[in-house]
Amino acid sequence: MSSWSLHRSLGRPAFYGANEKLPSGSHNQGALSLLELPKAIADIGITTLEIVHFHLPSTDEAYLAELRAELETAGVELF
């Protein structure tokens, strides 16, 4: 599954390019946060996730480690 297919459920985060600053305030406004997504898709039998870069609310090491832990806990492979 691609995070893009759940763009509205993720709150329609603002688009940004690779060299742009991450927009603040446009993430985690939907029914699901990106950290909740691995468990949500695993619960319906989906075990592979592709994350579109603009769905990442942070590229900080701590956030990415937390996301990785959620993926591992849910048994979801990052594509």
Side-chain angles (χ1 to χ4, degrees), residues 12-62:
R12 300 180 187 197
F15 302 128
Y16 62 88
N19 296 322
E20 295 177 276
K21 184 178 177 180
L22 274 69
S24 61
S26 71
H27 289 85
N28 300 320
Q29 303 296 316
L32 287 171
S33 73
L34 189 59
L35 292 176
E36 296 168 323
L37 188 54
K39 182 183 180 325
I41 66 170
D43 285 350
I44 59 171
I46 297 171
T47 59
T48 304
L49 176 63
E50 172 190 46
I51 300 173
V52 182
H53 78 279
F54 51 80
H55 286 148
L56 290 169
S58 173
T59 56
D60 292 341
E61 211 171 301

Side-chain angles (χ1 to χ4, degrees), residues 50-79:
E50 172 190 46
I51 300 173
V52 182
H53 78 279
F54 51 80
H55 286 148
L56 290 169
S58 173
T59 56
D60 292 341
E61 211 171 301
Y63 177 82
L64 295 177
E66 188 176 1
L67 179 58
R68 173 68 62 191
E70 292 297 330
L71 289 161
E72 289 174 7
T73 298
V76 173
E77 175 188 20
L78 183 62
F79 180 72

